[in-house]
Amino acid sequence: MELGIFERQLKLMVLLTQNREYTLDELCGKLEMSRRTLYRYLELFRDTGFEVVKQGSIYRLDKSSPFFKEITQLVHFTEDEALTLRHVLDMLSDTDLQVRHLRHKLERIYDFGVLNAIEADPVQAETLRLLYEAVKLHRQVVLHDYCSAHSNRTDDRVVEPYMFLAHHDSIRCFEVRSGQNKTFKVSRIGRVEMLDLLWSHEDRHAQVYTDLFRFSGEERHRVTLRLGRLSCNLLKEEYPRAAGLLRSEGPDHWLLSLDVCSFQGVGRFVLGLFEDVEVVDSPEFEAWLQDKIKDLTKKSVTVS
């Protein structure tokens, strides 16, 4: 019995240290345990020297916890070393099973999206490095001379950065002055100043979801489409992740059901291939498409 408990604790530790995010309910489902038991295990981790981090509904174990530092001294790679190893593996054959295994193992530990971005653009290297450190250390920062696309003005923002978004060209932050969660474009930040202040509004950090079409937001809308062969092939070519979301309805049609943060991305896809796509049981999206079509009709009438 004790061995079973210990095994579940170890499995929980592995899940909390992987380079992906799990909510409390997802953890309970994977380990087949109650919330009460999970909370007890998390408290045990805290008591034994681990730093249990909660960001919105997401839980993880901070890899800078004293316990991890002690047991990984001899096998831990610096971020530069990890990036070098990844480059070496990328030069080797992708058909080699061992190479793919090693690459996958590194990706579970290190955030190569951030590390590659830092290496690829030396102009933004310091900005990304400081933001990356602020997220890891739970520190507030000042985004100096941030140029807002909405207000068309430049000013300083005191924020708590907590999540890089897809492709790491944007970062999600809680802005202290406005008390709101906002997305900031990294390229519009003049300079980042790390403050000697820890997060004080972590309970208000809202997690965001990035959809298949690379739009991010806190809200999600369900969309179901029936695709023909042309639209199905184009979708998989442009968005490889879509392959796992498609369900065959015969030799020439596929059903795609997914959550989107904005109708703009999926809307462009549908309008561009309207003869090969059918919207199924998605009234909100249908209304959005009708409004767009009306706008396009008005513009064409005005031009003619």
Side-chain angles (χ1 to χ4, degrees):
M1 184 67 170
E2 285 301 317
L3 181 61
I5 293 174
F6 183 60
E7 183 182 6
R8 287 203 294 175
Q9 290 172 344
L10 286 176
K11 286 182 178 178
L12 175 59
M13 189 180 296
V14 170
L15 290 172
L16 291 173
T17 52
Q18 288 182 349
N19 190 29
R20 59 170 300 177
E21 300 173 338
Y22 292 105
T23 64
L24 194 69
D25 289 337
E26 287 171 336
L27 290 169
C28 289
K30 284 182 173 291
L31 298 171
E32 297 181 350
M33 65 174 65
S34 66
R35 282 185 167 223
R36 182 177 178 182
T37 301
L38 188 59
Y39 281 131
R40 191 169 70 247
Y41 287 170
L42 293 175
E43 196 59 39
L44 175 65
F45 288 164
R46 289 191 183 96
D47 293 341
T48 51
F50 291 97
E51 293 183 29
V52 180
V53 179
K54 180 177 181 290
Q55 292 178 275
S57 60
I58 304 299
Y59 284 80
R60 63 180 175 83
L61 288 180
D62 194 326
K63 295 187 181 73
S64 65
S65 299
F67 182 85
F68 284 132
K69 288 181 179 178
E70 192 172 329
I71 65 173
T72 60
Q73 267 187 333
L74 298 178
V75 295
H76 173 71
F77 296 113
T78 66
E79 288 164 358
D80 287 339
E81 291 169 340
L83 197 56
T84 300
L85 280 173
R86 173 61 188 272
H87 287 335
V88 171
L89 290 171
D90 284 344
M91 289 187 288
L92 301 176
S93 172
D94 197 50
T95 60
D96 189 305
L97 184 62
Q98 192 66 18
V99 170
R100 293 205 307 269
H101 173 71
L102 288 171
R103 190 183 293 127
H104 177 64
K105 197 169 183 179
L106 282 172
E107 287 173 349
R108 290 172 65 186
I109 302 172
Y110 300 95
D111 191 340
F112 284 104
V114 174
L115 299 183
N116 282 323
I118 289 174
E119 184 191 57
D121 189 349
V123 177
Q124 294 184 10
E126 186 65 7
T127 295
L128 284 164
R129 185 188 69 79
L130 286 170
L131 290 172
Y132 186 42
E133 286 297 306
V135 173
K136 287 200 302 183
L137 300 175
H138 296 186
R139 298 271 289 275
Q140 291 187 2
V141 302
V142 181
L143 306 181
H144 286 286
D145 302 324
Y146 184 77
C147 182
S148 172
H150 299 293
S151 62
N152 198 28
R153 62 189 177 89
T154 300
D155 58 2
D156 297 342
R157 313 287 188 94
V158 178
V159 301
E160 296 179 358
Y162 59 88
M163 176 190 292
F164 281 97
L165 301 182
H167 308 296
H168 301 87
D169 59 355
S170 301
I171 188 164
R172 192 70 173 171
C173 305
F174 177 82
E175 187 181 45
V176 176
R177 181 177 59 193
S178 66
Q180 296 179 338
N181 292 288
K182 296 183 178 181
T183 299
F184 294 90
K185 294 284 288 184
V186 173
S187 61
R188 294 181 185 149
I189 301 172
R191 178 173 62 89
V192 175
E193 177 190 355
M194 182 94 74
L195 298 178
D196 192 22
L197 294 170
L198 293 174
W199 293 346
S200 56
H201 305 85
E202 186 177 355
D203 59 328
R204 298 175 65 183
H205 294 182
Q207 298 300 307
V208 295
Y209 171 75
T210 301
D211 64 26
L212 179 70
F213 300 93
R214 303 190 183 100
F215 280 80
S216 299
E218 295 175 21
E219 295 185 4
R220 304 188 197 185
H221 308 277
R222 194 69 176 175
V223 170
T224 302
L225 307 174
R226 181 172 288 110
L227 309 180
R229 185 171 296 277
L230 173 63
S231 55
C232 180
N233 289 337
L234 288 175
L235 181 73
K236 289 190 291 185
E237 287 173 10
E238 190 168 355
Y239 306 101
R241 280 200 303 125
L245 303 173
L246 292 164
R247 180 162 56 85
S248 175
E249 283 196 327
D252 297 313
H253 290 94
W254 290 262
L255 205 64
L256 173 70
S257 292
L258 75 168
D259 290 330
V260 297
C261 299
S262 168
F263 290 139
Q264 291 186 46
V266 65
R268 290 171 189 166
F269 175 77
V270 171
L271 290 171
L273 294 159
F274 68 92
E275 293 179 329
D276 201 55
V277 180
E278 177 187 351
V279 181
V280 181
D281 193 26
S282 304
E284 274 189 283
F285 183 45
E286 288 179 352
W288 185 90
L289 286 171
Q290 289 169 4
D291 288 340
K292 284 295 176 185
I293 293 170
K294 288 178 183 177
D295 290 342
L296 287 170
T297 304
K298 288 178 182 178
K299 286 182 178 178
S300 73
V301 170
T302 302
V303 171
S304 59

